[in-house]
């Protein structure tokens, strides 16, 4: 009887960690044969098969990342649990962008398009979807106003410096976004500001990003199978994340080659990459909103946009300087308008203690405008 129970537990644990196995096998195969498979970009059918394979393997691993991040969030509490998931996603994002840059694909706007897509997807698409779904199910939802204000207080200057200011510099007129000294100083300033924010979030004012829920809130999702320790979940999260990082280069190259071969708008590449890397946070944020735990949704949505600007921009700029690649960060006019609208609407949305479906609908409208402009600029 004891042996049978142990076998059932072992089988359940093996199934739950299948993403690590599937991702690991795919990574090994691409490390051995990837260069050969990607040698001829004109083979569209072969490219399509490889794209679906990579997408499926990365998606499976991403769901594994979500599982272990949710476990750590439950074990550690907010905001540390959410911060772990956010950092994991940033690792994926930076890996994808840097992989394309180091591969030598000449697309100076890829980083900008990806970061802007992250902002639009999380601050409009996911915020709108969470507020709309949560409002329809719970009428009104509460969150910690101080935490949302802290996010916006850092998001507004960082997004302006990273995506609007480069349009006004002298080097932007010469085809670049920032010169070496500007890129270095702005990167250091962004990192210092983000470090201050993290200190506030995790230590001095941790309560800004927490809220006590009443009995009307649904309990957080529980893990399938046996719960493990913090250390084991952290290790398994890293092991599940490793295939995603390793396969990022191959997926990014296929996406870039497909964009040039099929002659689709360049921002589509950044949007596809952003949508993929944001899957863990998007799934978790939506589930939290449905469970009437809007605070976690806000921590994920606004935290993802903030970490992208504070961490991805410096890394991309430093890689660009090291490889002498031109990096274009400044947005075009219509996207600047969308960014300003997004920040303005976000300040109005998070100016009160409760949210409703109307605010969600407004954010979704802005996301719809962004999607239309991608294919019809």
């Amino acid at each position: 009887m004891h042996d049978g129970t142990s076998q059932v537990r072992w089988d359940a644990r093996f199934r739950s960690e299948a993403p690590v196995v599937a991702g690991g096998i795919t990574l090994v195969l691409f490390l051995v044969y990837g260069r050969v498979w990607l040698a001829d970009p004109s083979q569209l059918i072969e490219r399509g098969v490889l794209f679906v394979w990579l997408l499926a393997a990365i998606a499976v691993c991403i769901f594994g990342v979500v599982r272990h991040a949710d476990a750590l969030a439950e074990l550690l509490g907010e905001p540390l649990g959410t911060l772990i998931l956010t950092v994991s996603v940033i690792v994926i994002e930076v890996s994808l962008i840097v992989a394309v840059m180091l591969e030598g694909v000449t697309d100076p706007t890829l980083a900008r398009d990806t970061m802007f897509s992250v902002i639009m997807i999380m601050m409009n698409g996911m915020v709108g979807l969470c507020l709309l779904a949560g409002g329809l199910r719970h009428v009104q939802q509460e969150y910690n106003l101080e935490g949302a204000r802290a996010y916006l207080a850092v998001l507004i200057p960082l997004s302006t410096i990273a995506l609007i200011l480069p349009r006004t510099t002298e080097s932007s007129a010469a085809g670049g976004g920032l010169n070496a000294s500007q890129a270095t100083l702005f990167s250091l300033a962004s990192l210092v500001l983000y470090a201050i924010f993290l200190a506030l979030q995790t230590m001095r004012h941790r309560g800004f990003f927490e809220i006590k829920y009443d009995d009307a809130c649904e309990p957080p999702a529980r893990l399938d199978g046996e719960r493990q320790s913090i250390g084991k979940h952290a290790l398994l999260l890293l092991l599940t994340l490793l295939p995603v990082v390793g396969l990022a280069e191959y997926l990014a190259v296929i996406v870039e080659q497909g964009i040039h071969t099929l002659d689709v708008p360049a921002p589509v590449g950044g949007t596809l990459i952003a949508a993929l890397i944001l899957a863990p946070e998007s799934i978790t944020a939506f589930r939290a909103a449905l469970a009437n735990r809007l605070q976690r949704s806000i921590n994920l949505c606004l935290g993802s946009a903030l970490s992208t600007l504070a961490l991805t921009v410096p890394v991309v700029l430093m890689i660009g300087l090291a490889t002498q690649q031109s990096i274009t960060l400044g947005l075009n006019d219509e996207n600047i308008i969308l960014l300003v609208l997004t920040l303005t609407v976000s300040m109005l949305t998070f100016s009160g203690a409760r949210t409703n479906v109307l605010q969600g609908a407004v954010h979704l409208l802005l996301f719809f405008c962004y999607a239309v402009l991608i294919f019809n600029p």
Side-chain angles (χ1 to χ4, degrees):
M1 184 71 178
H2 177 72
D3 292 339
T5 303
S6 299
Q7 183 64 36
V8 170
R9 289 182 177 178
W10 172 256
D11 291 342
R13 181 171 296 181
F14 178 79
R15 286 194 300 271
S16 65
E17 305 309 332
V20 178
V21 179
I25 293 174
T26 301
L27 178 58
V28 171
L29 290 174
F30 270 86
L31 288 175
V32 176
Y33 302 107
R35 297 292 178 181
V36 178
W37 290 341
L38 299 177
D40 187 3
S42 63
Q43 300 294 326
L44 295 181
I45 296 179
E46 181 180 334
R47 281 292 182 280
V49 173
L50 292 175
F51 176 75
V52 172
W53 180 11
L54 280 173
L55 197 64
I58 292 176
V60 168
C61 290
I62 283 176
F63 279 102
V65 171
V66 171
R67 176 177 175 272
H68 292 295
D70 279 345
L72 290 171
E74 189 175 338
L75 292 170
L76 296 174
E78 291 296 331
L80 291 177
T82 296
L83 188 59
I84 290 173
L85 181 56
T86 300
V87 171
S88 301
V89 170
I90 290 301
V91 170
I92 300 173
E93 178 182 350
V94 172
S95 300
L96 281 164
I97 296 175
V98 172
V100 177
M101 296 176 65
L102 296 181
E103 187 67 18
V105 180
T106 55
D107 187 355
T109 64
L110 175 68
R112 178 199 68 186
D113 293 339
T114 302
M115 290 182 286
F116 183 61
S117 296
V118 169
I119 294 174
M120 290 295 105
I121 291 173
M122 297 308 290
M123 295 188 67
N124 284 327
M126 286 313 303
V127 165
L129 190 60
C130 289
L131 296 185
L132 183 65
L136 288 174
R137 188 166 184 175
H138 303 287
V139 185
Q140 287 185 316
Q141 293 183 290
E142 295 183 350
Y143 65 97
N144 194 322
L145 180 60
E146 295 294 338
R149 285 178 174 173
Y151 279 118
L152 292 176
V154 185
L155 269 168
I156 292 172
L158 285 186
S159 58
T160 302
I161 292 171
L163 299 175
I164 298 178
L165 188 61
R167 280 285 302 274
T168 67
T169 62
E170 293 182 2
S171 56
S172 66
L178 297 171
N179 59 38
S181 60
Q182 289 171 342
T184 302
L185 293 174
F186 288 164
S187 297
L188 289 175
S190 298
L191 291 174
V192 169
L193 182 58
Y194 189 61
I196 295 172
F197 175 83
L198 288 182
L200 179 144
Q201 184 183 32
T202 58
M203 294 183 291
R204 191 176 185 88
H205 294 291
R206 183 170 176 171
F208 286 1
F209 307 91
E210 300 173 328
I211 188 170
K212 293 183 179 180
Y213 296 102
D214 54 29
D215 295 336
C217 298
E218 300 174 13
R222 297 283 178 179
L223 286 174
D224 296 330
E226 185 179 355
R227 179 178 304 286
Q228 301 176 59
S229 66
I230 293 176
K232 287 184 178 180
H233 279 298
L235 177 61
L236 289 170
L237 186 146
L238 291 175
L239 291 176
T240 310
L241 193 61
L242 183 62
V244 180
V245 175
L247 295 171
E249 175 183 354
Y250 304 101
L251 181 67
V253 170
I254 291 177
V255 169
E256 283 300 298
Q257 289 177 346
I259 287 174
H260 293 298
T261 302
L262 300 176
D263 195 27
V264 298
V268 172
T271 304
L272 287 175
I273 292 174
L276 176 65
I277 62 180
L278 292 173
E281 291 178 306
S282 299
I283 295 169
T284 307
F286 184 71
R287 284 164 46 185
L290 287 179
N292 202 19
R293 296 178 178 271
L294 186 62
Q295 184 61 49
R296 191 173 190 212
S297 299
I298 293 174
N299 289 346
L300 285 165
C301 293
L302 299 186
S304 178
L306 175 57
S307 58
T308 292
L309 291 169
L311 300 178
T312 306
V313 171
V315 172
V316 167
L317 288 176
M318 293 304 101
I319 294 292
L321 291 176
T323 58
Q324 296 184 342
Q325 294 187 44
S326 175
I327 305 296
T328 301
L329 289 179
L331 296 171
N332 53 31
D333 293 338
E334 58 266 28
N335 285 337
I336 287 178
I337 293 173
L338 277 179
L339 178 60
V340 172
L341 269 175
T342 297
L343 296 174
T344 303
V345 171
S346 296
M347 288 189 291
L348 294 174
T349 297
F350 299 114
S351 62
R354 294 174 180 268
T355 62
N356 54 57
V357 294
L358 176 60
Q359 294 159 322
V362 172
H363 282 276
L364 287 176
L365 172 63
L366 293 179
F367 180 74
F368 175 76
C369 294
Y370 161 73
V372 169
L373 289 175
I374 291 177
F375 297 97
N376 188 20

